[in-house]
Amino acid sequence: ESNCIFFADLCNVARNGDFEEEPSDYYYTHGSATFSWATDASTSPTHALKIVSAQRPSVLTRWMSRTCVYPADILKVSAFLKTQGVTNGRGLLAVTYWNGSTYAGRTVDSPLSLTGTSDWTQVTVFGSPPTGATCARVEFRLFGGGTLWIDDLVVERQFGA
């Protein structure tokens, strides 16, 4: 049985990746910021996730997936991010690997991070799980102050690549 959700011509295993359903069943937050299910900006029909932070540059706030995706040989994760007023910080996509509730020692950040005020930009992460990893968690990270919107998450598992 697969939790595959077809989107265009690919198999997306992200749950509620367009964020059109209320996100609390699939995503949770961490850090001191205002987190919301926003309607003021989106690439999909009406909703996106949003972080508004007034933190120092090194302080991390984030939305994270509740459901771990079983890691394959390679995991391709992409999402659209938008920033406003992100100074002395950055917004990015990350994948962290876990063995149950224990961190498996690998985080893969998107090579592209957004600063300042940026329109919707697709960011992508390719990651391979470390030995012993049983799941991968998707994280939308904002370091420092500013606003980060997140929309249209796609998670693809690739075996034998």
Side-chain angles (χ1 to χ4, degrees), residues 66-99:
R66 282 192 187 281
T67 305
C68 278
V69 175
Y70 180 76
D73 293 336
I74 296 175
L75 196 63
K76 178 184 177 186
V77 180
S78 65
F80 283 86
L81 305 180
K82 177 179 177 171
T83 56
Q84 181 178 338
V86 177
T87 56
N88 300 313
R90 60 196 171 107
L92 60 100
L93 172 66
V95 175
T96 58
Y97 290 95
W98 297 82
N99 185 353

mmCIF file of all heavy atoms in Angstrom, residues 66-99:
data_model
loop_
_atom_site.group_PDB
_atom_site.id
_atom_site.type_symbol
_atom_site.label_atom_id
_atom_site.label_comp_id
_atom_site.label_asym_id
_atom_site.label_seq_id
_atom_site.Cartn_x
_atom_site.Cartn_y
_atom_site.Cartn_z
ATOM 1 N N ARG A 66 5.248 16.050 10.404
ATOM 2 C CA ARG A 66 4.948 15.097 11.476
ATOM 3 C C ARG A 66 5.225 13.670 11.048
ATOM 4 O O ARG A 66 5.609 12.832 11.845
ATOM 5 C CB ARG A 66 3.476 15.184 11.880
ATOM 6 C CG ARG A 66 3.139 16.329 12.746
ATOM 7 C CD ARG A 66 1.738 16.151 13.329
ATOM 8 N NE ARG A 66 1.333 17.335 14.054
ATOM 9 C CZ ARG A 66 1.726 17.627 15.281
ATOM 10 N NH1 ARG A 66 2.518 16.829 15.939
ATOM 11 N NH2 ARG A 66 1.319 18.740 15.856
ATOM 12 N N THR A 67 5.004 13.376 9.797
ATOM 13 C CA THR A 67 5.155 12.022 9.288
ATOM 14 C C THR A 67 6.539 11.863 8.693
ATOM 15 O O THR A 67 6.933 12.630 7.821
ATOM 16 C CB THR A 67 4.107 11.741 8.200
ATOM 17 O OG1 THR A 67 2.822 12.011 8.729
ATOM 18 C CG2 THR A 67 4.195 10.312 7.716
ATOM 19 N N CYS A 68 7.272 10.888 9.177
ATOM 20 C CA CYS A 68 8.565 10.601 8.572
ATOM 21 C C CYS A 68 8.352 9.853 7.277
ATOM 22 O O CYS A 68 7.540 8.939 7.198
ATOM 23 C CB CYS A 68 9.422 9.756 9.516
ATOM 24 S SG CYS A 68 10.259 10.720 10.763
ATOM 25 N N VAL A 69 9.065 10.251 6.269
ATOM 26 C CA VAL A 69 9.062 9.555 4.984
ATOM 27 C C VAL A 69 10.138 8.489 5.070
ATOM 28 O O VAL A 69 11.293 8.780 5.402
ATOM 29 C CB VAL A 69 9.370 10.536 3.836
ATOM 30 C CG1 VAL A 69 9.497 9.788 2.528
ATOM 31 C CG2 VAL A 69 8.317 11.614 3.765
ATOM 32 N N TYR A 70 9.778 7.240 4.784
ATOM 33 C CA TYR A 70 10.785 6.178 4.790
ATOM 34 C C TYR A 70 11.826 6.502 3.733
ATOM 35 O O TYR A 70 11.488 6.675 2.565
ATOM 36 C CB TYR A 70 10.138 4.822 4.507
ATOM 37 C CG TYR A 70 11.145 3.700 4.497
ATOM 38 C CD1 TYR A 70 11.653 3.213 5.692
ATOM 39 C CD2 TYR A 70 11.607 3.183 3.303
ATOM 40 C CE1 TYR A 70 12.594 2.209 5.687
ATOM 41 C CE2 TYR A 70 12.549 2.177 3.289
ATOM 42 C CZ TYR A 70 13.046 1.691 4.485
ATOM 43 O OH TYR A 70 13.989 0.706 4.477
ATOM 44 N N PRO A 71 13.092 6.634 4.122
ATOM 45 C CA PRO A 71 14.095 7.048 3.143
ATOM 46 C C PRO A 71 14.378 5.957 2.121
ATOM 47 O O PRO A 71 14.449 4.785 2.450
ATOM 48 C CB PRO A 71 15.334 7.337 3.995
ATOM 49 C CG PRO A 71 15.148 6.557 5.240
ATOM 50 C CD PRO A 71 13.662 6.433 5.455
ATOM 51 N N ALA A 72 14.515 6.355 0.900
ATOM 52 C CA ALA A 72 14.896 5.458 -0.182
ATOM 53 C C ALA A 72 16.385 5.650 -0.430
ATOM 54 O O ALA A 72 17.092 6.225 0.390
ATOM 55 C CB ALA A 72 14.068 5.804 -1.421
ATOM 56 N N ASP A 73 16.853 5.182 -1.566
ATOM 57 C CA ASP A 73 18.255 5.399 -1.902
ATOM 58 C C ASP A 73 18.543 6.887 -2.020
ATOM 59 O O ASP A 73 19.559 7.374 -1.563
ATOM 60 C CB ASP A 73 18.613 4.709 -3.217
ATOM 61 C CG ASP A 73 18.560 3.194 -3.102
ATOM 62 O OD1 ASP A 73 18.696 2.688 -1.972
ATOM 63 O OD2 ASP A 73 18.363 2.532 -4.120
ATOM 64 N N ILE A 74 17.628 7.608 -2.663
ATOM 65 C CA ILE A 74 17.759 9.057 -2.820
ATOM 66 C C ILE A 74 16.392 9.673 -2.584
ATOM 67 O O ILE A 74 15.375 9.160 -3.045
ATOM 68 C CB ILE A 74 18.265 9.440 -4.228
ATOM 69 C CG1 ILE A 74 19.680 8.899 -4.447
ATOM 70 C CG2 ILE A 74 18.236 10.953 -4.423
ATOM 71 C CD1 ILE A 74 20.206 9.131 -5.844
ATOM 72 N N LEU A 75 16.370 10.764 -1.881
ATOM 73 C CA LEU A 75 15.141 11.489 -1.633
ATOM 74 C C LEU A 75 15.277 12.862 -2.302
ATOM 75 O O LEU A 75 16.265 13.566 -2.083
ATOM 76 C CB LEU A 75 14.953 11.666 -0.128
ATOM 77 C CG LEU A 75 13.602 12.054 0.397
ATOM 78 C CD1 LEU A 75 12.573 10.971 0.089
ATOM 79 C CD2 LEU A 75 13.674 12.251 1.905
ATOM 80 N N LYS A 76 14.313 13.209 -3.141
ATOM 81 C CA LYS A 76 14.290 14.530 -3.762
ATOM 82 C C LYS A 76 13.120 15.287 -3.150
ATOM 83 O O LYS A 76 11.985 14.835 -3.198
ATOM 84 C CB LYS A 76 14.111 14.443 -5.279
ATOM 85 C CG LYS A 76 14.023 15.800 -5.943
ATOM 86 C CD LYS A 76 13.748 15.675 -7.431
ATOM 87 C CE LYS A 76 13.579 17.044 -8.062
ATOM 88 N NZ LYS A 76 13.171 16.928 -9.472
ATOM 89 N N VAL A 77 13.427 16.429 -2.563
ATOM 90 C CA VAL A 77 12.418 17.244 -1.894
ATOM 91 C C VAL A 77 12.489 18.645 -2.472
ATOM 92 O O VAL A 77 13.575 19.220 -2.586
ATOM 93 C CB VAL A 77 12.670 17.293 -0.366
ATOM 94 C CG1 VAL A 77 11.622 18.133 0.330
ATOM 95 C CG2 VAL A 77 12.719 15.893 0.222
ATOM 96 N N SER A 78 11.335 19.197 -2.842
ATOM 97 C CA SER A 78 11.313 20.580 -3.320
ATOM 98 C C SER A 78 10.092 21.287 -2.756
ATOM 99 O O SER A 78 9.089 20.661 -2.410
ATOM 100 C CB SER A 78 11.317 20.641 -4.852
ATOM 101 O OG SER A 78 10.139 20.076 -5.363
ATOM 102 N N ALA A 79 10.202 22.592 -2.655
ATOM 103 C CA ALA A 79 9.101 23.435 -2.191
ATOM 104 C C ALA A 79 9.343 24.839 -2.716
ATOM 105 O O ALA A 79 10.459 25.198 -3.108
ATOM 106 C CB ALA A 79 9.018 23.451 -0.669
ATOM 107 N N PHE A 80 8.284 25.619 -2.726
ATOM 108 C CA PHE A 80 8.402 27.025 -3.084
ATOM 109 C C PHE A 80 8.465 27.844 -1.808
ATOM 110 O O PHE A 80 7.655 27.656 -0.896
ATOM 111 C CB PHE A 80 7.217 27.468 -3.950
ATOM 112 C CG PHE A 80 7.331 27.016 -5.368
ATOM 113 C CD1 PHE A 80 6.888 25.762 -5.748
ATOM 114 C CD2 PHE A 80 7.907 27.836 -6.332
ATOM 115 C CE1 PHE A 80 7.003 25.323 -7.057
ATOM 116 C CE2 PHE A 80 8.033 27.409 -7.638
ATOM 117 C CZ PHE A 80 7.576 26.149 -8.007
ATOM 118 N N LEU A 81 9.450 28.743 -1.727
ATOM 119 C CA LEU A 81 9.634 29.630 -0.583
ATOM 120 C C LEU A 81 9.550 31.071 -1.048
ATOM 121 O O LEU A 81 9.932 31.403 -2.173
ATOM 122 C CB LEU A 81 10.992 29.399 0.076
ATOM 123 C CG LEU A 81 11.348 27.983 0.521
ATOM 124 C CD1 LEU A 81 12.735 27.973 1.157
ATOM 125 C CD2 LEU A 81 10.310 27.421 1.464
ATOM 126 N N LYS A 82 9.094 31.927 -0.153
ATOM 127 C CA LYS A 82 9.018 33.369 -0.399
ATOM 128 C C LYS A 82 9.439 34.055 0.894
ATOM 129 O O LYS A 82 9.072 33.606 1.986
ATOM 130 C CB LYS A 82 7.587 33.754 -0.772
ATOM 131 C CG LYS A 82 7.368 35.246 -0.973
ATOM 132 C CD LYS A 82 5.919 35.539 -1.360
ATOM 133 C CE LYS A 82 5.728 37.039 -1.487
ATOM 134 N NZ LYS A 82 4.421 37.365 -2.066
ATOM 135 N N THR A 83 10.212 35.132 0.791
ATOM 136 C CA THR A 83 10.657 35.845 1.996
ATOM 137 C C THR A 83 10.317 37.323 1.913
ATOM 138 O O THR A 83 10.170 37.888 0.816
ATOM 139 C CB THR A 83 12.189 35.722 2.185
ATOM 140 O OG1 THR A 83 12.856 36.199 1.007
ATOM 141 C CG2 THR A 83 12.600 34.293 2.477
ATOM 142 N N GLN A 84 10.230 37.906 3.097
ATOM 143 C CA GLN A 84 10.053 39.351 3.206
ATOM 144 C C GLN A 84 10.841 39.828 4.415
ATOM 145 O O GLN A 84 10.678 39.308 5.520
ATOM 146 C CB GLN A 84 8.584 39.705 3.383
ATOM 147 C CG GLN A 84 8.333 41.198 3.473
ATOM 148 C CD GLN A 84 6.847 41.501 3.589
ATOM 149 O OE1 GLN A 84 5.996 40.700 3.221
ATOM 150 N NE2 GLN A 84 6.546 42.661 4.125
ATOM 151 N N GLY A 85 11.738 40.789 4.191
ATOM 152 C CA GLY A 85 12.479 41.410 5.277
ATOM 153 C C GLY A 85 13.394 40.481 6.050
ATOM 154 O O GLY A 85 13.627 40.690 7.235
ATOM 155 N N VAL A 86 13.929 39.467 5.389
ATOM 156 C CA VAL A 86 14.853 38.556 6.064
ATOM 157 C C VAL A 86 16.250 39.165 5.976
ATOM 158 O O VAL A 86 16.927 39.051 4.958
ATOM 159 C CB VAL A 86 14.819 37.138 5.443
ATOM 160 C CG1 VAL A 86 15.857 36.229 6.115
ATOM 161 C CG2 VAL A 86 13.428 36.545 5.571
ATOM 162 N N THR A 87 16.635 39.855 7.029
ATOM 163 C CA THR A 87 17.946 40.504 7.083
ATOM 164 C C THR A 87 18.785 39.799 8.134
ATOM 165 O O THR A 87 18.283 39.400 9.180
ATOM 166 C CB THR A 87 17.818 41.994 7.431
ATOM 167 O OG1 THR A 87 17.099 42.115 8.654
ATOM 168 C CG2 THR A 87 17.083 42.751 6.332
ATOM 169 N N ASN A 88 20.046 39.622 7.851
ATOM 170 C CA ASN A 88 20.955 38.920 8.761
ATOM 171 C C ASN A 88 20.447 37.527 9.107
ATOM 172 O O ASN A 88 20.583 37.061 10.229
ATOM 173 C CB ASN A 88 21.196 39.736 10.039
ATOM 174 C CG ASN A 88 21.812 41.072 9.738
ATOM 175 O OD1 ASN A 88 22.768 41.157 8.976
ATOM 176 N ND2 ASN A 88 21.259 42.123 10.309
ATOM 177 N N GLY A 89 19.845 36.877 8.149
ATOM 178 C CA GLY A 89 19.339 35.517 8.324
ATOM 179 C C GLY A 89 19.058 34.909 6.976
ATOM 180 O O GLY A 89 19.459 35.443 5.938
ATOM 181 N N ARG A 90 18.298 33.783 6.964
ATOM 182 C CA ARG A 90 17.989 33.126 5.705
ATOM 183 C C ARG A 90 16.858 32.138 5.888
ATOM 184 O O ARG A 90 16.633 31.619 6.978
ATOM 185 C CB ARG A 90 19.222 32.413 5.140
ATOM 186 C CG ARG A 90 19.777 31.354 6.068
ATOM 187 C CD ARG A 90 21.194 30.956 5.682
ATOM 188 N NE ARG A 90 21.768 30.112 6.710
ATOM 189 C CZ ARG A 90 21.979 28.817 6.601
ATOM 190 N NH1 ARG A 90 21.656 28.182 5.489
ATOM 191 N NH2 ARG A 90 22.517 28.129 7.571
ATOM 192 N N GLY A 91 16.136 31.874 4.797
ATOM 193 C CA GLY A 91 15.101 30.856 4.779
ATOM 194 C C GLY A 91 15.531 29.732 3.859
ATOM 195 O O GLY A 91 16.103 29.986 2.799
ATOM 196 N N LEU A 92 15.274 28.485 4.255
ATOM 197 C CA LEU A 92 15.711 27.359 3.443
ATOM 198 C C LEU A 92 14.883 26.119 3.724
ATOM 199 O O LEU A 92 14.089 26.070 4.660
ATOM 200 C CB LEU A 92 17.199 27.055 3.673
ATOM 201 C CG LEU A 92 17.618 26.693 5.097
ATOM 202 C CD1 LEU A 92 17.760 25.202 5.241
ATOM 203 C CD2 LEU A 92 18.937 27.375 5.420
ATOM 204 N N LEU A 93 15.086 25.114 2.904
ATOM 205 C CA LEU A 93 14.484 23.800 3.034
ATOM 206 C C LEU A 93 15.568 22.851 3.524
ATOM 207 O O LEU A 93 16.717 22.936 3.084
ATOM 208 C CB LEU A 93 13.976 23.361 1.656
ATOM 209 C CG LEU A 93 13.471 21.945 1.465
ATOM 210 C CD1 LEU A 93 12.202 21.711 2.273
ATOM 211 C CD2 LEU A 93 13.195 21.705 -0.024
ATOM 212 N N ALA A 94 15.216 21.941 4.434
ATOM 213 C CA ALA A 94 16.186 20.967 4.938
ATOM 214 C C ALA A 94 15.516 19.603 5.078
ATOM 215 O O ALA A 94 14.304 19.518 5.281
ATOM 216 C CB ALA A 94 16.758 21.404 6.275
ATOM 217 N N VAL A 95 16.320 18.558 4.972
ATOM 218 C CA VAL A 95 15.871 17.197 5.254
ATOM 219 C C VAL A 95 16.782 16.653 6.344
ATOM 220 O O VAL A 95 18.015 16.723 6.225
ATOM 221 C CB VAL A 95 15.943 16.304 4.000
ATOM 222 C CG1 VAL A 95 15.599 14.857 4.343
ATOM 223 C CG2 VAL A 95 15.016 16.827 2.913
ATOM 224 N N THR A 96 16.170 16.148 7.427
ATOM 225 C CA THR A 96 16.933 15.534 8.509
ATOM 226 C C THR A 96 16.591 14.055 8.556
ATOM 227 O O THR A 96 15.462 13.658 8.279
ATOM 228 C CB THR A 96 16.628 16.196 9.874
ATOM 229 O OG1 THR A 96 15.227 16.098 10.139
ATOM 230 C CG2 THR A 96 17.053 17.654 9.868
ATOM 231 N N TYR A 97 17.578 13.238 8.892
ATOM 232 C CA TYR A 97 17.396 11.783 8.925
ATOM 233 C C TYR A 97 17.385 11.292 10.364
ATOM 234 O O TYR A 97 18.160 11.768 11.200
ATOM 235 C CB TYR A 97 18.496 11.092 8.119
ATOM 236 C CG TYR A 97 18.339 11.341 6.642
ATOM 237 C CD1 TYR A 97 19.019 12.378 6.009
ATOM 238 C CD2 TYR A 97 17.481 10.558 5.876
ATOM 239 C CE1 TYR A 97 18.855 12.614 4.652
ATOM 240 C CE2 TYR A 97 17.306 10.791 4.520
ATOM 241 C CZ TYR A 97 17.999 11.813 3.922
ATOM 242 O OH TYR A 97 17.831 12.051 2.585
ATOM 243 N N TRP A 98 16.506 10.303 10.619
ATOM 244 C CA TRP A 98 16.248 9.825 11.976
ATOM 245 C C TRP A 98 16.215 8.302 12.004
ATOM 246 O O TRP A 98 15.870 7.663 11.019
ATOM 247 C CB TRP A 98 14.902 10.366 12.471
ATOM 248 C CG TRP A 98 14.929 11.861 12.548
ATOM 249 C CD1 TRP A 98 14.735 12.741 11.508
ATOM 250 C CD2 TRP A 98 15.211 12.648 13.678
ATOM 251 N NE1 TRP A 98 14.881 14.025 11.952
ATOM 252 C CE2 TRP A 98 15.170 14.000 13.279
ATOM 253 C CE3 TRP A 98 15.490 12.344 15.008
ATOM 254 C CZ2 TRP A 98 15.401 15.043 14.172
ATOM 255 C CZ3 TRP A 98 15.717 13.394 15.888
ATOM 256 C CH2 TRP A 98 15.676 14.728 15.469
ATOM 257 N N ASN A 99 16.547 7.738 13.154
ATOM 258 C CA ASN A 99 16.348 6.329 13.452
ATOM 259 C C ASN A 99 15.381 6.307 14.629
ATOM 260 O O ASN A 99 15.793 6.471 15.778
ATOM 261 C CB ASN A 99 17.664 5.645 13.792
ATOM 262 C CG ASN A 99 17.484 4.160 13.993
ATOM 263 O OD1 ASN A 99 16.362 3.649 14.000
ATOM 264 N ND2 ASN A 99 18.593 3.457 14.161
#
